């Protein structure tokens, strides 16, 4: 489809009926965004293949990355009064193109500072399942950069983190600033502002480099510098994205890093910050058992709920998952984080150490309580239900009254956790 190879899914059957497998777009879960669909066993006619190729061709960006770079060079030579940006087409305009965009809304007098902050010039793509460009707030961005520097990293593979990449690029000209970044992102609009060595058009759901072998080599070259030392991958995927597909791509990027000539790297993992909501912890650990979840709350500029400093359920649920030693991730004391000597990691002020679990168990910043019957800590608003034999909200619908799993018909689990559901 227009955004690379499709993924193989299974349509769940009811009861013992086996699911049928099909291919669909790797990034778009909604058919309105991409209508690619093909049964695995379906024979596709030559006519349909040709129509698909034509559709994909039409849906490519108007300019290539190298053409965008040529345009940028010409754009920066223009006097301020002739620098325009079309808000409708999300494109830098050269004077010869003004007439073509005459009935569009555009911004004038685009300054050098604006060109160095493209994430503020471009409209965020806010389709929750595909792009979900919720951009780091300055607080979180600065914290991440300071942490990366303190940990001794000098190169950042920024996978879907344009705001962090932008902050690094803006400081690159400073003499004492040694950190460099390569942005891998599905948003091709960034190719208007960054060279081929600074940005690769990339789909993190299927590990697809739109620029082909040249872009792949750019990524390899970036990872291979200094024998692959002092490089970290920082990724902030759309929260509606499939964890399994994302994990597969991240493992391929890590494998690319492992190919560096440094010996003894067989059992090592490339250092990583995966930024994702805490309620995906079990899914992430399924694919990366080496990751630990930090208590730091990541917040976003353009998300109504994911803001720092709110309380209860209004706090940001977004956390940092990392394979670095937890004690080395120092969280800011001025924001209420403290070090737990038993757990050997920094935790939020409300996260009290449970003597029975022998761990700081809270996931959401509130103080959790221990349930003796469940043998674990649970949210403060949950109570033990004797029908379900587990803790839940007081007014929940009991599991015992449910008809059972949609796939196998048995009670006690939902379709998503069904052992009969084959993984693809």
């Amino acid at each position: 489809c227009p955004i690379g190879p499709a993924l193989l899914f299974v349509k769940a059957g009811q009861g013992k009926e086996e699911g049928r497998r099909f291919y669909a777009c790797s990034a778009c879960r909604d058919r309105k965004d991409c209508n690619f669909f093909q049964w695995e066993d379906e024979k596709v006619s030559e006519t349909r293949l040709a129509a698909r190729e034509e559709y994909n061709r039409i849906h490519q960006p108007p300019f290539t990355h190298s053409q965008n770079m040529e345009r940028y060079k010409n754009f920066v030579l223009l006097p301020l009064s002739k620098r325009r940006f079309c808000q409708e087409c999300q494109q830098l305009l050269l004077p010869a193109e003004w007439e073509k965009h005459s009935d569009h809304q555009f911004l004038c007098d685009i300054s050098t500072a604006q060109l160095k902050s493209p994430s503020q010039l471009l409209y965020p793509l806010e389709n929750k399942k595909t792009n979900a460009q919720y951009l780091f707030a300055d607080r979180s961005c600065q914290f991440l950069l300071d942490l990366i520097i303190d940990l001794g990293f000098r190169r950042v593979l920024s996978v879907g983190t344009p705001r962090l990449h932008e902050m690094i690029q803006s400081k690159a000209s400073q003499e004492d600033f040694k950190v460099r970044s390569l942005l891998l992102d599905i948003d091709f609009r960034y190719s208007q502002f960054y060279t081929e060595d600074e940005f690769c058009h990339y789909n993190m759901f299927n590990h697809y480099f739109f620029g082909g072998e040249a872009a792949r080599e750019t990524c390899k070259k970036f990872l291979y510098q200094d024998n692959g030392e002092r490089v970290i991958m920082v990724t902030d995927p759309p929260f509606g994205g499939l964890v399994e597909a994302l994990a597969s791509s991240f493992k391929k990027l890590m494998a690319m890093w492992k190919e560096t000539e440094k010996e003894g790297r067989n059992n090592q993992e490339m250092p990583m910050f995966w930024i994702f909501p805490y309620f995906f912890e079990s899914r992430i650990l399924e694919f990366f058992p080496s990751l630990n979840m930090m208590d730091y709350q990541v917040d976003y500029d353009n998300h109504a709920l994911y803001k720092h400093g709110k309380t209860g359920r209004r706090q940001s649920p977004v956390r940092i998952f990392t394979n670095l030693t937890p004690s080395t991730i120092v969280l800011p004391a001025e924001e209420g984080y403290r070090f737990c000597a038993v757990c050997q990691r920094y935790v939020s002020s409300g996260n009290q150490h449970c003597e029975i679990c022998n761990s700081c168990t809270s996931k959401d910043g509130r103080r959790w309580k221990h349930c003796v019957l469940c043998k674990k800590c649970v949210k403060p608003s949950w109570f033990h239900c004797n029908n379900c034999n587990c803790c839940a909200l007081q007014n929940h619908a009991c599991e015992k009254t449910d008809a059972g799993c949609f796939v196998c018909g048995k009670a006690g689990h939902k379709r998503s956790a069904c052992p009969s559901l084959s993984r693809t």
Side-chain angles (χ1 to χ4, degrees):
C1 71
I3 45 180
L7 292 183
L8 184 62
F9 296 89
V10 63
K11 198 177 270 291
Q14 190 150 13
K16 291 180 180 175
E17 187 187 322
E18 208 171 289
R20 192 176 174 189
R21 285 144 67 105
F22 65 94
Y23 289 98
C25 177
S26 59
C28 304
R29 298 276 68 79
D30 196 326
R31 292 276 165 80
K32 291 175 192 165
D33 300 315
C34 179
N35 62 5
F36 187 100
F37 182 92
Q38 184 183 314
W39 293 111
E40 185 189 21
D41 52 7
E42 185 182 358
K43 284 192 167 56
V44 183
S45 68
E46 290 294 324
T47 311
R48 193 168 151 208
L49 274 176
R52 186 181 287 168
E53 279 176 25
E54 178 61 15
Y55 177 85
N56 290 354
R57 190 186 63 77
I58 292 166
H59 284 78
Q60 292 311 306
F63 300 104
T64 64
H65 197 160
S66 54
Q67 284 172 334
N68 271 336
M69 279 298 94
E70 278 303 312
R71 290 166 55 77
Y72 184 83
K73 284 176 194 169
N74 293 328
F75 189 87
V76 293
L77 294 173
L78 295 170
L80 202 61
S81 60
K82 293 199 170 180
R83 290 186 189 175
R84 292 187 182 181
F85 176 78
C86 178
Q87 289 181 295
E88 203 163 309
C89 303
Q90 294 285 282
Q91 191 179 304
L92 297 172
L93 297 180
L94 298 171
E97 299 160 345
W98 289 0
E99 198 178 334
K100 199 171 152 189
H101 298 258
S102 58
D103 56 342
H104 294 177
Q105 291 281 323
F106 47 79
L107 297 173
C108 300
D109 305 339
I110 304 297
S111 66
T112 305
Q114 283 176 293
L115 292 173
K116 287 188 175 178
S117 305
S119 71
Q120 296 183 12
L121 195 60
L122 301 166
Y123 286 137
L125 303 171
E126 291 185 355
N127 180 319
K128 289 182 179 63
K129 295 177 181 176
T130 316
N131 312 101
Q133 275 183 338
Y134 297 124
L135 303 163
F136 293 145
D138 282 344
R139 163 195 162 267
S140 289
C141 207
Q142 192 62 61
F143 166 75
L144 283 167
L145 183 53
D146 290 344
L147 182 60
I148 286 162
I149 294 167
D150 292 345
L151 290 167
F153 294 106
R154 290 294 171 263
R155 278 168 300 118
V156 181
L157 187 65
S158 303
V159 186
T161 57
R163 189 60 66 85
L164 179 64
H165 175 74
E166 189 176 288
M167 187 174 273
I168 294 169
Q169 292 296 106
S170 68
K171 295 173 187 282
S173 57
Q174 296 173 14
E175 214 172 296
D176 59 340
F177 189 77
K178 306 293 183 195
V179 181
R180 295 293 174 265
S181 171
L182 172 66
L183 177 63
L184 306 186
D185 204 287
I186 200 167
D187 188 354
F188 190 68
R189 297 176 303 171
Y190 284 106
S191 69
Q192 298 178 85
F193 306 92
Y194 299 124
T195 66
E196 281 101 327
D197 290 334
E198 297 166 340
F199 168 75
C200 293
H201 191 201
Y202 175 78
N203 182 346
M204 70 173 87
F205 290 103
N206 56 10
H207 187 59
Y208 181 65
F209 287 89
F210 292 82
E213 201 50 44
R216 191 180 290 273
E217 282 305 312
T218 297
C219 187
K220 275 187 184 178
K221 187 178 156 190
F222 182 81
L223 294 174
Y224 286 13
Q225 285 170 35
D226 304 327
N227 273 339
E229 293 294 308
R230 301 199 296 177
V231 61
I232 184 168
M233 171 165 48
V234 182
T235 180
D236 182 34
F239 303 149
L242 283 171
V243 172
E244 191 170 350
L246 293 166
S248 173
S249 293
F250 299 155
K251 283 182 176 177
K252 284 171 184 170
L253 287 170
M254 286 179 164
M256 202 185 270
W257 170 79
K258 266 191 182 180
E259 291 167 17
T260 50
E261 293 167 13
K262 180 90 172 170
E263 287 180 18
R265 190 166 274 157
N266 293 341
N267 300 320
Q268 264 187 295
E269 257 185 2
M270 179 184 178
M272 177 190 200
F273 287 159
W274 180 341
I275 294 156
F276 224 49
Y278 71 80
F279 37 81
F280 282 103
E281 183 181 21
S282 59
R283 288 291 286 151
I284 289 174
L285 296 186
E286 196 179 320
F287 301 103
F288 285 103
S290 60
L291 297 190
N292 290 292
M293 188 179 84
M294 301 295 98
D295 272 21
Y296 183 80
Q297 292 183 17
V298 180
D299 58 325
Y300 296 80
D301 263 353
N302 56 325
H303 197 293
L305 297 181
Y306 297 176
K307 299 282 188 190
H308 171 68
K310 293 192 176 182
T311 55
R313 295 193 58 156
R314 285 296 185 187
Q315 296 178 90
S316 170
V318 186
R319 302 288 182 269
I320 299 169
F321 293 85
T322 182
N323 51 9
L324 300 174
T325 309
S327 60
T328 63
I329 312 296
V330 181
L331 305 186
E334 65 273 15
E335 291 182 18
Y337 298 101
R338 58 181 178 78
F339 188 73
C340 174
V342 185
C343 295
Q344 282 292 293
R345 69 181 182 98
Y346 284 81
V347 295
S348 63
S349 54
N351 193 356
Q352 297 299 311
H353 192 86
C354 174
E355 299 297 337
I356 305 166
C357 297
N358 194 27
S359 172
C360 291
T361 51
S362 171
K363 309 287 184 192
D364 62 8
R366 296 179 292 172
R367 185 172 183 168
W368 285 22
K369 60 185 183 184
H370 190 85
C371 174
V372 180
L373 296 170
C374 289
K375 296 181 181 174
K376 65 177 183 179
C377 285
V378 296
K379 292 179 180 180
S381 54
W382 286 16
F383 296 89
H384 195 84
C385 172
N386 292 324
N387 285 339
C388 301
N389 197 27
C390 68
C391 284
L393 284 167
Q394 210 156 15
N395 57 353
H396 72 286
C398 283
E399 284 279 338
K400 294 282 165 90
T401 61
D402 284 353
C405 170
F406 176 77
V407 178
C408 68
K410 292 176 185 172
H413 64 264
K414 293 180 182 174
R415 184 180 73 82
S416 56
C418 181
S420 331
L421 189 62
S422 63
R423 293 186 181 249
T424 55

